[in-house]
Amino acid sequence: MTKFVFVTGGVVSSLGKGIASASLGALLESRGLKVTLIKLDPYLNVDPGTMSPFQHGEVFVTDDGAETDLDLGHYERFIETRMKKANNFTTGQIYKSVLEKERRGDYLGKTVQVIPHVTNEIQDFIKRGAGYGTEDAVDVAIVEIGGTIGDIESLPFVEAVRQLSLRLGPNQAAFVHLTYVPWIAAAGELKTKPTQHTVQKLREIGIQPDALLCRADRAIPDDEREKISLFTNVALWGVISMPDVDTIYRVPRVLHEQGLDGLICDKLRLNTPPANLKRWDNLVHEVLNPQREVSIAMVGKYVDLSDSYKSLNEALRHAGMKNHAKVSITYIDSENLESETVEQLERFDAILVPGGFGKRGVEGKIKAARFARETKVPYLGICLGMQVATIEFARHVAGLTQANSTEFEPEGAQPVIALITEWKDEDGTIKTRDENSDLGGTMRLGAQSSDVAPGTLAHSIYGPVVTERHRHRYEANVAYLDQLRKAGLVISALTQREHLTEIVELPQAVHPWFMGVQFHPEFKSTPWDGHPLFNAFVKAALDHQTAQSTQKAVT
Ligand code: GLN
């Protein structure tokens, strides 16, 4: 039977609850257990798909096409189990489901209430995420509850997991609470009071944590840990110090050395071999000992918040590790590039244009793609980055000077990028979009496979078939593909089902490394192997750097 670990957070948000949960998952996995992670988000949006990356950070996409919280990205990078739609749900989804049941009459005329109807629904969703009672059941499901204890919003979730632990019976569930221990410089002291209060709040709701993960900017000395233990009724070995670390990949080791995995296994009566952290130690070594450094310009819109491109940053770092290089990423706001000179991109070893939505800054991205094509610096365009590379090529090489995407110019004369409904119209006229359409879940989402043309750069990276995840609405318009091909653009992969353009590239005789992909490869990168496309891109950047310095030495 599946056992559960519920992870809550206290004092403030952004303490790294996702990383802590994922690290615990990794530790339990290294003990030979089958583990999954589930994230509960206490907001009313049905999913984060329609939320701005400024508000919520990146939207992570699973193989089965769910738009989820970015913590699921951490989960997939830390543990082996792949995330599915059922691994993340929101208050919005719970209420949607409860209200549908109410309309169908499933509650048989009863008054529908937060307790028990909403809390029961939450428990059902948690069990579904864990595959509870099915053949997909995991040994341990770690359930991370978003928000901070004391929030009105997350209260039904906390109540639901309290009830669930009671229903499951003794030793079937453990509670871990992440808290903050601030260093007060003026007093020269670490303060435990916020932790005392947050645990009090938790105990008021009926939850006694088994372990406290105490986040601080430094290690917490034993006398402070004793004090916390005494005031919170958590055994001393359950008061775990979680200081800031040089790399997130060190966190599993930090938690293991203080016995967190042992404590959880004890509590859940799980008998396992000891944890083996060799591969994590190797990872930390690789991160801290790069042999070279490579500098990549990321030309995007949401550059203010690195969370907006979380998986992408990680994928580039993984590829760096694979190439024994430190990847330094400089975020360039594409909107500034519209008025400023593009020559500022000269100092980089490669240029990357990531995914994005909306018109703002798009001409700057087109300028960046042009600069990369003309100066032969390695270019990787992801999703929107592929679309702008295609528009750029159409305008400046294929003679389609009006080329654009209907996303930015709905009535444009040469819509080389457009919605399928626009370019598939039978009499050849461009249909206008339905402005009232429901924005949630109308995109091409999740994993799809395409065939890769032999002899292409893409083929040398992926082999004959590529399966990657998608999140977009617009596609390269078939009506212009022949013209683009004739002008020298290589369409190196088409989807198996609908023959949609998946990868475009320049022939290697023309440009050493120029590629645009309609999918989001960053979602599948792991620290263990990196990702073939990013590994190749970072290698191309390193080769470019070498070639440049040899050239400088000669001249
Ligand atoms: N806005 C583009 C589209 O919807 C690209 C989306 C993306 O980059 N994720 O097709």
Side-chain angles (χ1 to χ4, degrees):
M1 263 304 160
T2 301
K3 315 233 174 181
F4 292 85
V5 180
F6 300 112
V7 183
T8 50
V11 188
V12 286
S13 59
S14 304
L15 290 177
K17 203 169 354 132
I19 298 284
S21 306
S23 299
L24 175 59
L27 290 176
L28 296 179
E29 228 178 36
S30 85
R31 284 173 166 254
L33 295 164
K34 190 173 169 205
V35 177
T36 198
L37 284 137
I38 303 170
K39 173 82 193 282
L40 317 189
D41 279 311
Y43 50 72
L44 280 167
N45 304 61
V46 171
D47 61 44
T50 55
M51 286 159 89
S52 157
F54 281 126
Q55 286 258 318
H56 193 264
E58 161 189 284
V59 174
F60 186 78
V61 180
T62 56
D63 269 337
D64 64 354
E67 298 178 274
T68 71
D69 187 77
L70 58 78
D71 272 330
L72 271 77
H74 293 311
Y75 300 168
E76 283 207 346
R77 290 187 283 272
F78 272 65
I79 70 166
E80 298 293 334
T81 309
R82 297 300 84 186
M83 296 294 115
K84 298 197 194 106
K85 195 174 174 36
N87 291 76
N88 181 208
F89 60 88
T90 67
T91 300
Q93 273 170 47
I94 295 291
Y95 273 84
K96 194 165 175 253
S97 173
V98 167
L99 292 175
E100 277 163 11
K101 286 186 181 168
E102 188 272 336
R103 292 289 83 183
R104 277 202 309 265
D106 291 4
Y107 296 116
L108 306 173
K110 290 209 181 77
T111 309
V112 181
Q113 294 176 299
V114 173
I115 300 171
H117 301 100
V118 169
T119 46
N120 283 349
E121 195 70 23
I122 294 171
Q123 292 172 54
D124 289 347
F125 270 63
I126 292 174
K127 286 185 180 161
R128 195 181 311 156
Y132 193 81
T134 71
E135 57 185 25
D136 293 332
V138 291
D139 299 320
V140 183
I142 300 171
V143 182
E144 180 190 345
I145 299 166
T148 308
I149 291 299
D151 295 350
I152 292 176
E153 294 200 307
S154 55
L155 210 49
F157 285 113
V158 182
E159 172 61 13
V161 301
R162 185 194 65 78
Q163 290 179 9
L164 182 57
S165 77
L166 185 73
R167 285 178 171 156
L168 291 167
N171 302 109
Q172 302 302 304
F175 287 91
V176 174
H177 189 57
L178 188 82
T179 170
Y180 181 49
V181 183
W183 170 260
I184 305 296
E189 269 180 60
L190 280 165
K191 290 293 185 188
T192 66
K193 192 76 80 191
T195 297
Q196 297 176 32
H197 279 285
T198 178
V199 178
Q200 251 170 37
K201 194 88 209 154
L202 201 54
R203 294 173 68 201
E204 230 169 66
I205 310 169
I207 292 172
Q208 169 63 51
D210 299 290
L212 293 178
L213 306 182
C214 303
R215 288 285 291 114
D217 66 351
R218 63 201 66 211
I220 298 172
D222 286 348
D223 51 347
E224 299 301 324
R225 287 180 47 243
E226 269 166 36
K227 192 164 150 192
I228 292 172
S229 163
L230 200 63
F231 280 104
T232 59
N233 203 35
V234 174
L236 183 58
W237 56 89
V239 181
I240 289 169
S241 168
M242 205 178 153
D244 291 346
V245 282
D246 44 7
T247 153
I248 52 170
Y249 301 120
R250 195 188 286 287
V251 177
R253 159 76 54 207
V254 169
L255 298 178
H256 171 69
E257 299 219 313
Q258 297 177 79
L260 178 67
D261 47 316
L263 181 151
I264 296 294
C265 287
D266 267 4
K267 166 82 194 204
L268 299 179
R269 304 284 190 270
L270 290 165
N271 227 334
T272 75
N276 179 352
L277 296 190
K278 179 120 188 51
R279 66 177 193 156
W280 291 95
D281 296 339
N282 291 345
L283 212 55
V284 171
H285 179 82
E286 200 60 70
V287 176
L288 299 182
N289 297 286
Q291 286 158 20
R292 291 175 68 179
E293 184 162 344
V294 71
S295 173
I296 295 178
M298 198 189 293
V299 181
K301 186 165 69 164
Y302 307 113
V303 288
D304 293 342
L305 188 69
S306 62
D307 266 2
S308 317
Y309 298 119
K310 193 80 211 163
S311 296
L312 195 46
N313 295 338
E314 290 301 310
L316 286 168
R317 298 221 161 86
H318 299 158
M321 278 143 67
K322 244 2 226 183
N323 284 285
H324 309 294
K326 176 175 190 277
V327 175
S328 91
I329 306 168
T330 304
Y331 303 99
I332 310 254
D333 189 340
S334 55
E335 218 175 358
N336 297 341
L337 221 49
E338 287 175 4
S339 50
E340 290 166 12
T341 74
V342 77
E343 277 66 40
Q344 59 180 295
L345 296 176
E346 246 161 28
R347 61 196 167 95
F348 298 102
D349 303 316
I351 295 172
L352 190 152
V353 176
F357 293 84
K359 192 180 162 97
R360 191 162 62 79
V362 86
E363 289 299 323
K365 294 177 191 178
I366 292 174
K367 260 171 117 176
R370 180 177 195 175
F371 179 84
R373 181 178 56 77
E374 289 179 346
T375 62
K376 298 197 191 323
V377 59
Y379 176 89
L380 176 59
I382 293 178
C383 206
L384 182 63
M386 179 205 98
Q387 298 176 357
V388 297
T390 308
I391 294 169
E392 189 283 313
F393 186 88
R395 284 187 194 171
H396 306 118
V397 184
L400 296 158
T401 52
Q402 311 284 304
N404 212 338
S405 163
T406 54
E407 181 177 8
F408 318 124
E409 199 185 350
E411 309 297 336
Q414 291 167 335
V416 294
I417 307 291
L419 297 173
I420 301 186
T421 49
E422 292 171 333
W423 52 259
K424 280 233 172 117
D425 206 3
E426 251 143 51
D427 60 6
T429 49
I430 307 292
K431 277 198 282 185
T432 48
R433 278 172 299 166
D434 177 5
E435 296 296 344
N436 299 321
S437 73
D438 183 352
L439 281 182
T442 55
M443 287 194 257
R444 177 144 82 106
L445 285 165
Q448 272 179 34
S449 300
S450 8
D451 294 318
V452 185
T456 58
L457 177 58
H459 197 275
S460 73
I461 294 168
Y462 278 110
V465 176
V466 43
T467 305
E468 293 279 14
R469 300 179 192 172
H470 297 76
R471 180 170 186 257
H472 65 111
R473 292 194 179 83
Y474 295 81
E475 307 278 356
N477 190 343
V478 269
Y480 294 93
L481 290 187
D482 272 347
Q483 234 170 312
L484 295 172
R485 275 199 190 100
K486 276 197 197 105
L489 190 71
V490 178
I491 316 287
S492 41
L494 293 173
T495 59
Q496 291 174 340
R497 234 186 9 205
E498 296 169 291
H499 299 285
L500 300 168
T501 301
E502 283 279 79
I503 307 181
V504 302
E505 59 184 76
L506 291 176
Q508 279 183 287
V510 174
H511 190 295
W513 211 102
F514 189 102
M515 194 184 262
V517 296
Q518 187 57 79
F519 45 76
H520 288 271
E522 68 272 26
F523 294 139
K524 281 174 69 173
S525 177
T526 71
W528 315 115
D529 302 312
H531 181 289
L533 183 58
F534 289 99
N535 295 348
F537 176 59
V538 168
K539 179 165 185 311
L542 284 162
D543 291 348
H544 180 74
Q545 189 189 63
T546 311
Q548 292 291 101
S549 53
T550 336
Q551 204 178 11
K552 267 195 203 123
V554 172
T555 50

